[in-house]
Every structure is written in C-alpha cells, then in structure tokens.
C-alpha cells in the first residue's frame, strides 16, 4: 500500500513524495494508527549534534482528502523536531515535539471521520483544530530474558476552546503512559 519516491541529495536530508509510511516518530500508536499511510510530501533531517546526541526534524504536508479540481482540498501540515540522546551504551532518551496545522477542514465532510470534530446539520466539520504534541521514550538494553524495555509517554493538546465543547467536557487534551519490553527487533521465533 505504498507508492512513493525518495530523494536523498545529501546524507542528512530525505525528501519523500507519494503514499508512504508515516515519517513522524512516535513511541506508540496514540495519535497515528500504525496502518495510516499519509499521502503528500515529507522532508526529514537528521544530524549528529555531538558524540551521543542526534537531532532530527520532519516537515510533512499531508493531503487528507481530494474533493475536486480546486485548491481548497483539506490538508495538514506537521512539523516535528526531536533528539535522541545515548546516555550510555545501553540507555537512551528520545524526545520530540510536534505541531499539527490542518487547512481547509471546515465546511468539508469526511465519510471515514471518527466523528470527534464538531459538525453542522449537514455533517460538515465546523472547526479545524491545531494541535501540539510531545513524545518521550527512555529505553534500557538490559540483556537476559528481557533484552530491552522502555518507559514511554505521549501528550497532545488541541487548540479547541473548552467553551466550544457542546458536551460541556474539557476534552481538548490527551495523554498516554506506557512500558514496552522484549527484543528491539523481532526476527526469530521466541524473540
């Protein structure tokens, strides 16, 4: 379910266009389901900032749907900078923030929408919320029967004004805390 081209003009720059694997890093599938394949353009940068620290950034332009021959199709811009810091040979910390900015959402109707955005009487979206998100993973390579485990967390806050919530709840933020363990790369039976 991929159809893309990738261009790497220099070692630390990737440019991908088409339908591709989600280029944004996340420790779990909190904001993005693992089977979503965005369509559009993504520019990825990664560069060593020191002997133990690598910086990365992704800029994405994702086409959410195509309704016609005009330029008002719904799209989303995403920007995610982050770092991975190898604290020791067996311990790392990975942090990233992200900003999501949709455009042309209001007034459109999506047949596959989860219904989490407010709609008018005709089923068209009323708002186009922007969101800030943060992701964190602290990983440990310990060996033995559990060769790897990590503590992880994710947080998101949307631009939704709580006074706009029709249900009276203040539900413009979400978070996830978790633990993952096992083999970092499953390749053999029993991993």
């Amino acid at each position: 379910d991929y159809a893309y081209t990738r261009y790497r003009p220099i070692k630390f720059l990737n440019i991908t266009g088409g339908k591709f694997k989600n280029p944004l890093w996340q420790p779990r599938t909190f904001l993005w389901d693992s089977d979503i394949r965005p369509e559009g353009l993504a520019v990825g940068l990664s560069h060593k900032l020191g002997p133990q620290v690598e910086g990365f950034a992704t800029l994405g332009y994702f086409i959410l749907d195509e309704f016609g021959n005009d330029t008002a199709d719904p799209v989303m811009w995403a920007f995610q900078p982050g770092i991975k810091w190898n604290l020791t040979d067996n311990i790392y910390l990975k942090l990233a923030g992200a900003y999501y900015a949709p455009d042309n959402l209001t007034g459109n109707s999506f047949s596959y929408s989860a219904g989490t955005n407010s709609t008018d009487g005709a089923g068209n979206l009323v708002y186009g919320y922007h969101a800030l998100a943060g992701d964190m993973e602290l990983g440990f390579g310990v060996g033995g029967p559990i060769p790897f485990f990590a503590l992880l967390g994710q947080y998101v806050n949307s631009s939704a004004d709580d006074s706009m919530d029709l249900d009276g709840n203040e539900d413009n933020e979400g978070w996830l805390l978790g633990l993952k363990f096992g083999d970092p790369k499953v390749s053999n039976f029993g991993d």
Side-chain angles (χ1 to χ4, degrees):
D1 55 349
Y2 302 113
Y4 65 90
T5 185
R6 178 169 290 148
Y7 178 56
R8 188 176 211 163
I10 50 180
K11 183 179 178 181
F12 59 87
L13 174 66
N14 273 313
I15 303 169
T16 307
K19 185 173 184 171
F20 42 85
K21 184 177 179 182
N22 189 345
L24 301 169
W25 174 74
Q26 60 178 354
R28 292 297 309 149
T29 56
F30 179 55
L31 290 179
W32 293 88
D33 198 349
S34 62
D35 64 353
I36 290 177
R37 306 293 183 249
E39 295 181 28
L41 182 69
V43 177
L45 298 166
S46 63
H47 190 66
K48 281 213 167 267
L49 302 174
Q52 304 294 332
V53 179
E54 180 180 351
F56 62 92
T58 303
L59 175 64
Y61 176 77
F62 305 132
I63 299 165
L64 301 179
D65 209 335
E66 191 170 344
F67 293 124
N69 295 331
D70 57 25
T71 58
D73 289 332
V75 297
M76 181 174 60
W77 290 91
F79 177 63
Q80 182 187 56
I83 63 163
K84 182 178 179 187
W85 181 13
N86 294 314
L87 302 169
T88 70
D89 288 343
N90 297 317
I91 302 173
Y92 69 88
L93 175 64
K94 194 168 183 178
L95 301 168
Y99 178 66
Y100 300 99
D103 195 18
N104 298 324
L105 287 184
T106 57
N108 285 312
S109 175
F110 296 90
S111 58
Y112 55 83
S113 175
T116 57
N117 200 332
S118 299
T119 56
D120 61 16
N124 296 320
L125 298 176
V126 178
Y127 307 111
Y129 299 127
H130 293 224
L132 288 171
D135 299 287
M136 179 278 306
E137 182 173 292
L138 179 60
F140 302 88
V142 293
I146 301 176
F148 166 82
F149 78 92
L151 305 170
L152 57 98
Q154 295 181 274
Y155 175 79
V156 63
N157 188 304
S158 80
S159 64
D161 182 348
D162 289 329
S163 66
M164 293 189 292
D165 286 338
L166 301 177
D167 60 7
N169 295 323
E170 294 182 3
D171 48 9
N172 64 335
E173 65 182 358
W175 56 272
L176 173 140
L177 294 174
L179 171 70
K180 62 183 178 181
F181 58 90
D183 283 284
K185 184 172 182 170
V186 176
S187 55
N188 299 312
F189 181 77
D191 287 350

